[in-house]
Every structure is written in structure tokens, then in C-alpha cells.
Amino acid sequence: MDFASSAFWTSLLQIIWIDLLLSGDNAVVIALAVRSLPEKQRKVGIWLGAGAAVGLRIIFAIVVTYLLAVPFLKVVGALLLFWIAIKLAKGEEEAHSDIEASDNLWKAVRTIAIADAVMSLDNVLAIAAAARGHFELFIFGLLLTIPLIIFGARLLSSVLERFPILIWLGAALLGWIAGEMLLSDMAVLQWLQANMPSWVVSVPTSDVNPVGLLPAKVPFYSAAVLGALVVVVAGYLLKKKPVDQPG
């Protein structure tokens, strides 16, 4: 490990920047999932959720090469993320207030784990690419996410409690990510190249992008916006309205 190398320090700074950018998504998921828990259990949920997020990154780091070769992986992930985002937007937790608090805690952790499993793949790939073969930098990047996620989730959890409208913005963010993920799947990109070539652009192949394709900007951001709208509209339509009590 050459600490004097400019490439090493460039990679280190890139990993820190990537962590700052990408840990926010996980913090949003955790804050949304634990928002209805009592204060003490909310803290436990944040710690368990952050642990699950980092644990999943480590697992993906081990099998990332295999995962890259699986067609429709991101399609399945995007559909799962849509489902989770809509559940969080419509406030499913509030409809189950009769469930014991311990059950609610583990339901929140389960929701966090599923969402993190969907989003961790891209995070791991970005850190791995920035590490440029430096294993110690890769591990550092994974470990750095722990305080970032915990701090971010605790801050967001308090803010969500004061400003409920932000719940919808958080759910819309997850829908945005799901839309991006859907259009970035290897199989989808290859289909677009064959049938709608103006929707893709060619780039050099790499470990991060083995097919050498990316979505063009207009369809990419259109899919992201549409994903956010789908979550917000579906969450609003499915949200349980309070039943008027007979007078």
C-alpha cells in the first residue's frame, strides 16, 4: 500500500464522497421504516438497520462478480423497491397499532433489510470501482457507511416526526431510485440496444459495466421521474382513510 501515491489518496477521497452520497438512500429507508416506533425502539431499529445495511454490502462484495452476470437482477430489485416504497408511503405501520411493539421493531428491521439488499449492489460496485484493487480502501469504504447511515437515519427520523410531508418525499426518492435501477439492468439495456438504440449509449466495458451500455439521459431521468410518481400516486390511492365513527 503506497500512502504517498496520488492515486491512493484520489481513491480514498472518491470513496468518502461516494459514501456521503449513497449512504443517504439507506438512511432514508431506515428513517421511514422506524418512524412509528417508540423512541427507545427507534434507536435500536436504527442500529440494527445500519448493521444490516453494512452486512449486506459485505455479502455483495463477496459475490459481486456473480451478481453482475445475472440478467434481470436489477428489474427484480426495482420491483421490490417499488413495493417497499409504496408500503412506506401509505403508512402500513399505522394500520397495525394493535401489534406488540417488539413485532413492529422486527417488521421495521425486515423492511430495512429488504430495501438495503436491493440498493446495496450499486453502492458496493461504486466503492469497488473507486478502490481500484486496494482491498484496504474497499473495507474502509464499507465501514465508513456505518456512522454515516446511523447519524443520517437518526437525524432524518427526528425530522420526519416534525414534518410528515417529508415521508412522501422519501418514498418518492425510493421510487426514483427504482426507476433508475429498472432501466439500468443488463438485460433491459441489451433489449433497448436491439429495439430502441437511441435510448442507450455505448461506453467502455468494465467490471462495473460488463455490457458496455448505459441508458441515454432523457429515458434514464424519465424513468426516474415516472418511478417517483408511481410510488406517490399508488401510496396515496392505497393509503387507508380513517373510518368515521358512528355518532
Side-chain angles (χ1 to χ4, degrees), residues 64-84:
V64 69
T65 305
Y66 170 75
L67 288 174
L68 280 172
V70 179
F72 299 109
L73 173 70
K74 289 188 176 182
V75 172
V76 174
L79 295 177
L80 274 172
L81 199 53
F82 275 127
W83 172 65
I84 290 168

Side-chain angles (χ1 to χ4, degrees), residues 57-146:
R57 279 170 171 75
I58 293 172
I59 293 173
F60 281 149
I62 297 170
V63 296
V64 69
T65 305
Y66 170 75
L67 288 174
L68 280 172
V70 179
F72 299 109
L73 173 70
K74 289 188 176 182
V75 172
V76 174
L79 295 177
L80 274 172
L81 199 53
F82 275 127
W83 172 65
I84 290 168
I86 292 169
K87 280 178 62 180
L88 294 173
K90 72 187 184 72
E92 185 182 75
E93 303 93 336
E94 297 169 9
H96 297 283
S97 56
D98 55 323
I99 298 178
E100 294 181 6
S102 59
D103 292 337
N104 280 332
L105 172 62
W106 293 112
K107 275 190 67 175
V109 173
R110 184 186 65 191
T111 299
I112 293 165
I114 295 173
D116 282 333
V118 172
M119 295 190 299
S120 289
L121 176 59
D122 284 344
N123 296 18
V124 168
L125 292 177
I127 294 172
R132 295 180 176 85
H134 291 281
F135 182 73
E136 63 283 354
L137 282 179
F138 184 66
I139 296 300
F140 169 78
L142 294 177
L143 294 178
L144 181 62
T145 59
I146 298 176

Side-chain angles (χ1 to χ4, degrees), residues 28-29 31-32 35 88-89 155-174 232:
V28 169
V29 170
L32 287 172
R35 71 182 189 274
L88 294 173
L155 177 63
L156 283 170
S157 180
S158 300
V159 173
L160 290 175
E161 195 171 14
R162 294 185 60 188
F163 304 102
I165 186 63
L166 296 179
I167 294 169
W168 291 95
L169 295 178
L173 173 62
L174 299 184
V232 171

Side-chain angles (χ1 to χ4, degrees), residues 11-78:
S11 295
L12 178 63
L13 292 174
Q14 286 177 344
I15 286 172
I16 293 172
W17 181 241
I18 288 168
D19 276 334
L20 288 171
L21 290 176
L22 298 183
S23 296
D25 298 340
N26 300 87
V28 169
V29 170
I30 294 173
L32 287 172
V34 304
R35 71 182 189 274
S36 297
L37 296 176
E39 179 63 27
K40 290 183 179 179
Q41 290 202 337
R42 191 181 304 169
K43 292 179 181 178
V44 175
I46 288 172
W47 278 94
L48 290 175
V54 176
L56 288 165
R57 279 170 171 75
I58 293 172
I59 293 173
F60 281 149
I62 297 170
V63 296
V64 69
T65 305
Y66 170 75
L67 288 174
L68 280 172
V70 179
F72 299 109
L73 173 70
K74 289 188 176 182
V75 172
V76 174

